[in-house]
Amino acid sequence: VGVQSSAFPAMQRSFAGGHLVSGSSGSTIADGIAISKPGKHPYEIIRRHVDDIVLVDEESIASAVMSLMEWDHMLAEGAGAAPVAALLQLDDRRLAAVKGRSVACVVSGGNIDVNLLRRIIPNGLKHSGRLFRIAVRIQDRPGRLAELLNLVGQAGANLLEVQHNRLSGTLSYQDVDVQLDLETLDAGHQQAILDALGRARFRVTRLD
């Protein structure tokens, strides 16, 4: 099974259509597989030996880079992590096709720019449900911020950063918007935090 970035799907489209086509729609962190026009010889090899080609988006690739670093202690560039991104998002049909079989991901390439990696990490954390940003509108009075932060702490989130905004045009003079950056366990944990804040009558906006 081949893997391509959804921003550069030319080989996948050529494989599906049975003839060479070109195509790209932007940029990708998987620059090693950013091919806008497939070559004739690689296409013929793929046509004979590959069963399927799947597409992965940028968030999935970033999450795969993060997973490889965290769980396997392996530094992979975007193109190298793409097979892991595909494995993590296999649909039911493809999962059924490989059930009971050994599956290998070829992780090739660790040539990743440090500055790019610095940008990938927070995006990978966000995509995997580990990083969470919300805006909460509260009354600008003593003790209300402490109530909010205590509730977030009781819900098991780790507070990374707090920002106050008193200049929004939609704010009354009695209110303030508080932006929170939180470390969480997963998407379910994030929903539990939103539910707890809702029960406490905080007005919350999720910032994705």
mmCIF file of all heavy atoms in Angstrom, residues 149-170:
data_model
loop_
_atom_site.group_PDB
_atom_site.id
_atom_site.type_symbol
_atom_site.label_atom_id
_atom_site.label_comp_id
_atom_site.label_asym_id
_atom_site.label_seq_id
_atom_site.Cartn_x
_atom_site.Cartn_y
_atom_site.Cartn_z
ATOM 1 N N LEU A 149 -9.680 28.554 37.028
ATOM 2 C CA LEU A 149 -8.445 27.764 37.025
ATOM 3 C C LEU A 149 -8.548 26.564 37.959
ATOM 4 O O LEU A 149 -8.016 25.486 37.660
ATOM 5 C CB LEU A 149 -7.265 28.648 37.417
ATOM 6 C CG LEU A 149 -6.975 29.820 36.463
ATOM 7 C CD1 LEU A 149 -5.736 30.577 36.921
ATOM 8 C CD2 LEU A 149 -6.827 29.350 35.033
ATOM 9 N N ASN A 150 -9.232 26.722 39.085
ATOM 10 C CA ASN A 150 -9.428 25.584 39.989
ATOM 11 C C ASN A 150 -10.245 24.490 39.317
ATOM 12 O O ASN A 150 -9.944 23.294 39.462
ATOM 13 C CB ASN A 150 -10.127 26.040 41.268
ATOM 14 C CG ASN A 150 -9.199 26.783 42.203
ATOM 15 O OD1 ASN A 150 -7.989 26.601 42.154
ATOM 16 N ND2 ASN A 150 -9.762 27.638 43.062
ATOM 17 N N LEU A 151 -11.269 24.885 38.584
ATOM 18 C CA LEU A 151 -12.113 23.910 37.906
ATOM 19 C C LEU A 151 -11.327 23.168 36.823
ATOM 20 O O LEU A 151 -11.442 21.946 36.677
ATOM 21 C CB LEU A 151 -13.323 24.614 37.286
ATOM 22 C CG LEU A 151 -14.405 23.716 36.676
ATOM 23 C CD1 LEU A 151 -14.942 22.745 37.715
ATOM 24 C CD2 LEU A 151 -15.539 24.562 36.112
ATOM 25 N N VAL A 152 -10.498 23.906 36.086
ATOM 26 C CA VAL A 152 -9.663 23.276 35.064
ATOM 27 C C VAL A 152 -8.682 22.298 35.706
ATOM 28 O O VAL A 152 -8.469 21.185 35.202
ATOM 29 C CB VAL A 152 -8.906 24.359 34.261
ATOM 30 C CG1 VAL A 152 -7.822 23.733 33.394
ATOM 31 C CG2 VAL A 152 -9.872 25.150 33.392
ATOM 32 N N GLY A 153 -8.089 22.701 36.837
ATOM 33 C CA GLY A 153 -7.173 21.808 37.539
ATOM 34 C C GLY A 153 -7.858 20.566 38.072
ATOM 35 O O GLY A 153 -7.317 19.458 37.978
ATOM 36 N N GLN A 154 -9.079 20.709 38.597
ATOM 37 C CA GLN A 154 -9.827 19.562 39.096
ATOM 38 C C GLN A 154 -10.185 18.587 37.964
ATOM 39 O O GLN A 154 -10.329 17.388 38.201
ATOM 40 C CB GLN A 154 -11.095 20.041 39.793
ATOM 41 C CG GLN A 154 -10.839 20.778 41.106
ATOM 42 C CD GLN A 154 -12.086 21.472 41.635
ATOM 43 O OE1 GLN A 154 -13.180 21.288 41.114
ATOM 44 N NE2 GLN A 154 -11.902 22.282 42.676
ATOM 45 N N ALA A 155 -10.304 19.126 36.744
ATOM 46 C CA ALA A 155 -10.609 18.271 35.595
ATOM 47 C C ALA A 155 -9.381 17.538 35.069
ATOM 48 O O ALA A 155 -9.475 16.745 34.139
ATOM 49 C CB ALA A 155 -11.219 19.112 34.472
ATOM 50 N N GLY A 156 -8.215 17.816 35.663
ATOM 51 C CA GLY A 156 -7.015 17.058 35.305
ATOM 52 C C GLY A 156 -6.194 17.643 34.184
ATOM 53 O O GLY A 156 -5.302 16.970 33.664
ATOM 54 N N ALA A 157 -6.459 18.900 33.805
ATOM 55 C CA ALA A 157 -5.681 19.528 32.732
ATOM 56 C C ALA A 157 -4.473 20.249 33.323
ATOM 57 O O ALA A 157 -4.523 20.753 34.449
ATOM 58 C CB ALA A 157 -6.552 20.514 31.964
ATOM 59 N N ASN A 158 -3.404 20.293 32.554
ATOM 60 C CA ASN A 158 -2.206 21.029 32.951
ATOM 61 C C ASN A 158 -2.200 22.376 32.250
ATOM 62 O O ASN A 158 -2.256 22.444 31.019
ATOM 63 C CB ASN A 158 -0.955 20.239 32.589
ATOM 64 C CG ASN A 158 0.317 20.924 33.065
ATOM 65 O OD1 ASN A 158 0.330 21.513 34.143
ATOM 66 N ND2 ASN A 158 1.366 20.870 32.263
ATOM 67 N N LEU A 159 -2.148 23.453 33.010
ATOM 68 C CA LEU A 159 -2.213 24.801 32.453
ATOM 69 C C LEU A 159 -0.843 25.216 31.924
ATOM 70 O O LEU A 159 0.143 25.224 32.663
ATOM 71 C CB LEU A 159 -2.686 25.778 33.527
ATOM 72 C CG LEU A 159 -2.815 27.244 33.124
ATOM 73 C CD1 LEU A 159 -3.881 27.416 32.043
ATOM 74 C CD2 LEU A 159 -3.136 28.104 34.340
ATOM 75 N N LEU A 160 -0.789 25.584 30.637
ATOM 76 C CA LEU A 160 0.459 26.028 30.022
ATOM 77 C C LEU A 160 0.574 27.539 29.968
ATOM 78 O O LEU A 160 1.647 28.095 30.198
ATOM 79 C CB LEU A 160 0.569 25.467 28.594
ATOM 80 C CG LEU A 160 0.618 23.947 28.449
ATOM 81 C CD1 LEU A 160 0.670 23.580 26.973
ATOM 82 C CD2 LEU A 160 1.820 23.367 29.189
ATOM 83 N N GLU A 161 -0.538 28.205 29.644
ATOM 84 C CA GLU A 161 -0.473 29.657 29.480
ATOM 85 C C GLU A 161 -1.850 30.268 29.688
ATOM 86 O O GLU A 161 -2.876 29.648 29.356
ATOM 87 C CB GLU A 161 0.048 30.007 28.083
ATOM 88 C CG GLU A 161 0.343 31.487 27.880
ATOM 89 C CD GLU A 161 1.033 31.775 26.559
ATOM 90 O OE1 GLU A 161 1.467 30.818 25.882
ATOM 91 O OE2 GLU A 161 1.154 32.966 26.206
ATOM 92 N N VAL A 162 -1.863 31.489 30.240
ATOM 93 C CA VAL A 162 -3.099 32.247 30.435
ATOM 94 C C VAL A 162 -2.908 33.628 29.820
ATOM 95 O O VAL A 162 -1.890 34.278 30.045
ATOM 96 C CB VAL A 162 -3.443 32.408 31.934
ATOM 97 C CG1 VAL A 162 -4.745 33.196 32.093
ATOM 98 C CG2 VAL A 162 -3.545 31.060 32.613
ATOM 99 N N GLN A 163 -3.904 34.073 29.034
ATOM 100 C CA GLN A 163 -3.873 35.411 28.466
ATOM 101 C C GLN A 163 -5.212 36.094 28.718
ATOM 102 O O GLN A 163 -6.265 35.469 28.587
ATOM 103 C CB GLN A 163 -3.591 35.367 26.957
ATOM 104 C CG GLN A 163 -2.204 34.866 26.599
ATOM 105 C CD GLN A 163 -1.948 34.922 25.100
ATOM 106 O OE1 GLN A 163 -2.747 35.435 24.336
ATOM 107 N NE2 GLN A 163 -0.812 34.389 24.687
ATOM 108 N N HIS A 164 -5.152 37.376 29.069
ATOM 109 C CA HIS A 164 -6.358 38.174 29.285
ATOM 110 C C HIS A 164 -6.573 39.103 28.097
ATOM 111 O O HIS A 164 -5.629 39.680 27.570
ATOM 112 C CB HIS A 164 -6.232 39.030 30.557
ATOM 113 C CG HIS A 164 -6.258 38.243 31.824
ATOM 114 N ND1 HIS A 164 -5.201 37.481 32.252
ATOM 115 C CD2 HIS A 164 -7.232 38.100 32.760
ATOM 116 C CE1 HIS A 164 -5.510 36.917 33.398
ATOM 117 N NE2 HIS A 164 -6.732 37.271 33.735
ATOM 118 N N ASN A 165 -7.825 39.263 27.718
ATOM 119 C CA ASN A 165 -8.172 40.197 26.648
ATOM 120 C C ASN A 165 -9.352 41.050 27.115
ATOM 121 O O ASN A 165 -10.463 40.564 27.271
ATOM 122 C CB ASN A 165 -8.537 39.442 25.368
ATOM 123 C CG ASN A 165 -8.966 40.377 24.249
ATOM 124 O OD1 ASN A 165 -8.759 41.587 24.322
ATOM 125 N ND2 ASN A 165 -9.558 39.806 23.211
ATOM 126 N N ARG A 166 -9.074 42.325 27.348
ATOM 127 C CA ARG A 166 -10.128 43.251 27.769
ATOM 128 C C ARG A 166 -10.498 44.222 26.653
ATOM 129 O O ARG A 166 -11.271 45.145 26.878
ATOM 130 C CB ARG A 166 -9.671 44.044 28.994
ATOM 131 C CG ARG A 166 -9.552 43.224 30.267
ATOM 132 C CD ARG A 166 -9.181 44.103 31.454
ATOM 133 N NE ARG A 166 -9.244 43.380 32.718
ATOM 134 C CZ ARG A 166 -8.242 42.667 33.210
ATOM 135 N NH1 ARG A 166 -7.104 42.599 32.536
ATOM 136 N NH2 ARG A 166 -8.378 42.047 34.367
ATOM 137 N N LEU A 167 -9.939 44.014 25.441
ATOM 138 C CA LEU A 167 -10.099 44.998 24.382
ATOM 139 C C LEU A 167 -11.026 44.543 23.264
ATOM 140 O O LEU A 167 -11.204 45.252 22.278
ATOM 141 C CB LEU A 167 -8.720 45.346 23.776
ATOM 142 C CG LEU A 167 -7.701 45.923 24.757
ATOM 143 C CD1 LEU A 167 -6.387 46.187 24.042
ATOM 144 C CD2 LEU A 167 -8.237 47.199 25.384
ATOM 145 N N SER A 168 -11.627 43.363 23.379
ATOM 146 C CA SER A 168 -12.529 42.899 22.332
ATOM 147 C C SER A 168 -13.754 43.803 22.230
ATOM 148 O O SER A 168 -14.317 44.238 23.251
ATOM 149 C CB SER A 168 -12.985 41.462 22.630
ATOM 150 O OG SER A 168 -13.988 41.056 21.733
ATOM 151 N N GLY A 169 -14.157 44.063 20.984
ATOM 152 C CA GLY A 169 -15.305 44.942 20.778
ATOM 153 C C GLY A 169 -16.615 44.363 21.244
ATOM 154 O O GLY A 169 -17.596 45.095 21.419
ATOM 155 N N THR A 170 -16.664 43.054 21.475
ATOM 156 C CA THR A 170 -17.909 42.408 21.921
ATOM 157 C C THR A 170 -18.003 42.321 23.443
ATOM 158 O O THR A 170 -19.000 41.837 23.970
ATOM 159 C CB THR A 170 -18.017 40.995 21.331
ATOM 160 O OG1 THR A 170 -16.922 40.200 21.801
ATOM 161 C CG2 THR A 170 -17.981 41.041 19.811
#
